[in-house]
């Protein structure tokens, strides 16, 4: 079994855009605000997290000695299905002086910048696990995943991605890692003679391989699966969630209910824990 080196999508790069997408929605519906000294002020920098809004409770915060709430959204770094060598291109560009010239005070600049660029249609299989899932919390995290289409540096055009939903599972424990999942998908593609590097992988074949890999791996996990939605059935679930977020009143209702549970949680549990898990199996690709 070949174990190739892979391109990594770092954990932080994955969760922060999803989190920011959610916070934007919370601000839009006035659950939180950036304005100073309001009852619902929550700013995305320590030490100004409010410690009680849905974002703080679900994604966690740390405020020096003043306490911390562990994130209930577990994400691991994701790895490309294709080998590192086939997943990126490094290209050089002339580092210009401020006025767009290559010379300044008669000296020609010799330094060149180099930037790593992920080639189109590279797949990063990824599992997002929500711990202590409540109904509203699940819909919120799920919505953030569906509405995030940009990872990586904000100012570049290279971070465009699409999250394909493969499965949603309710279980009483965490399941396999992203790396194990990715390797299993790669093995299935090799076995089916569908792995290639000269042109991008076929999305439908990767999708089928990912479902095959999932079914093989989940059977070996020592967890009880309470409920499981796998593609194509999971698409119904996705459509229902999409409908909620396409409707202003329903979104407002959901966020209000979510906010109430977050406030209750803050009162009851502070930084304590309970335990159910809802892994969402995603396949992110750069397209
Ligand atoms: Zn907050």
């Amino acid at each position: 079994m070949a174990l190739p080196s892979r391109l990594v999508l770092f954990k932080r790069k994955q969760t922060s855009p999803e989190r920011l997408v959610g916070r934007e929605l919370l601000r839009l519906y006035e659950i939180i605000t950036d304005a100073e000294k309001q009852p619902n002020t929550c700013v995305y920098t320590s030490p100004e997290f409010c410690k009680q809004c849905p974002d703080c409770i679900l994604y966690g915060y740390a405020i020096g000695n003043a306490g911390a709430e562990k994130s209930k959204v577990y994400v691991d770094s994701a790895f490309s299905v294709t080998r590192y060598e086939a997943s990126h291109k490094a290209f050089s560009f002339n580092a210009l002086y401020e006025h767009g010239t290559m010379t300044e005070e008669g000296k020609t600049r010799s330094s060149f910048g180099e930037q790593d660029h992920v080639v189109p249609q590279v797949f990063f299989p990824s599992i997002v696990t929500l711990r202590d899932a409540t109904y509203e919390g699940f819909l919120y995290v799920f919505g953030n995943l569906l509405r995030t289409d940009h990872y990586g540096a904000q100012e570049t055009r290279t971070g465009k991605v699409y999250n394909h939903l493969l499965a949603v599972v309710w279980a009483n424990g965490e399941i396999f890692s992203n790396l194990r999942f990715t390797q299993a998908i790669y093995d299935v593609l090799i076995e089916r003679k569908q792995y290639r590097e000269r042109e991008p992988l076929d999305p439908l074949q990767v999708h089928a391989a990912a479902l095959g890999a999932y079914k093989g791996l989940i059977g070996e996990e020592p967890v009880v699966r309470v409920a499981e939605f796998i593609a194509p059935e999971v698409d119904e679930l996705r459509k229902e969630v999409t409908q909620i977020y396409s409707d202003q009143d329903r979104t407002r209702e959901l966020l209000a209910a979510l906010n109430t549970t977050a406030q209750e949680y803050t009162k009851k549990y502070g930084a304590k824990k309970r335990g159910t898990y809802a892994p969402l199996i995603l396949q992110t690709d750069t397209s």
Side-chain angles (χ1 to χ4, degrees):
M1 193 194 295
L3 289 169
S5 58
R6 305 180 185 284
L7 201 63
V8 184
L9 179 65
F10 286 104
K11 181 177 167 170
R12 268 180 76 95
K13 288 223 165 153
Q14 195 183 334
T15 42
S16 7
E18 289 157 5
R19 189 171 180 171
L20 293 177
V21 158
R23 288 181 63 90
E24 204 178 304
L25 197 68
L26 294 177
R27 277 197 302 275
L28 191 67
Y29 285 85
E30 293 167 344
I31 303 287
I32 58 170
T33 178
D34 269 345
E36 277 177 50
K37 292 179 185 158
Q38 298 301 308
N40 60 340
T41 298
C42 182
V43 183
Y44 188 63
T45 43
S46 180
E48 292 170 90
F49 284 112
C50 74
K51 300 183 271 184
Q52 54 182 16
C53 76
D55 175 70
C56 285
I57 298 303
L58 286 165
Y59 289 92
Y61 59 85
I63 304 180
N65 299 328
E69 179 73 34
K70 266 177 86 173
S71 178
K72 292 167 190 62
V73 183
Y74 297 0
V75 188
D76 204 358
S77 292
F79 303 86
S80 60
V81 171
T82 34
R83 293 183 316 132
Y84 174 75
E85 292 77 2
S87 307
H88 84 119
K89 262 192 194 117
F91 57 91
S92 304
F93 54 92
N94 296 339
L96 299 175
Y97 282 113
E98 215 182 330
H99 306 291
T101 60
M102 284 289 287
T103 54
E104 191 174 79
E105 292 170 4
K107 279 183 276 178
T108 301
R109 194 159 189 173
S110 57
S111 64
F112 286 80
E114 200 174 83
Q115 199 176 20
D116 239 3
H117 188 90
V118 183
V119 300
Q121 223 168 297
V122 171
F123 296 84
F124 293 92
S126 173
I127 297 159
V128 176
T129 303
L130 174 61
R131 191 175 173 163
D132 299 339
T134 61
Y135 174 68
E136 293 84 8
F138 170 73
L139 291 180
Y140 179 70
V141 172
F142 196 173
N144 292 347
L145 289 169
L146 294 179
R147 292 182 308 110
T148 302
D149 60 0
H150 205 112
Y151 293 94
Q154 308 240 329
E155 69 279 8
T156 64
R157 290 181 296 131
T158 56
K160 203 81 183 154
V161 296
Y162 183 77
N163 282 334
H164 305 261
L165 180 68
L166 294 176
V168 177
V169 195
W170 275 266
N172 64 347
E174 277 190 90
I175 61 168
F176 48 84
S177 70
N178 286 343
L179 185 56
R180 199 150 166 246
F181 187 33
T182 304
Q183 181 66 35
I185 294 170
Y186 173 86
D187 292 340
V188 171
L189 287 170
I190 293 276
E191 195 184 290
R192 294 180 182 172
K193 300 195 165 48
Q194 292 169 342
Y195 184 83
R196 61 189 182 200
E197 294 186 348
R198 290 196 170 187
E199 51 181 311
L201 296 173
D202 179 331
L204 291 176
Q205 291 177 348
V206 179
H207 198 251
L211 289 178
Y214 167 79
K215 285 172 191 161
L217 292 175
I218 195 76
E220 295 169 9
E221 289 295 308
V223 296
V224 177
R225 279 170 277 163
V226 183
E228 187 176 49
F229 297 88
I230 304 176
E233 288 82 24
V234 78
D235 212 42
E236 288 303 310
L237 188 62
R238 187 187 58 79
K239 280 181 196 155
E240 279 180 41
V241 177
T242 303
Q243 271 171 16
I244 296 177
Y245 284 102
S246 318
D247 182 322
Q248 268 200 351
D249 294 334
R250 290 182 73 191
T251 306
R252 192 184 308 278
E253 251 170 63
L254 166 67
L255 296 181
L258 177 68
N259 195 34
T260 307
T261 47
Q263 306 289 333
E264 280 166 4
Y265 179 93
T266 307
K267 279 188 209 131
K268 262 197 223 165
Y269 301 99
K272 288 184 212 156
K273 304 165 199 156
R274 290 170 292 171
T276 51
Y277 297 77
L280 291 109
I281 323 293
L282 290 172
Q283 177 121 282
T284 298
D285 92 30
T286 48
S287 57

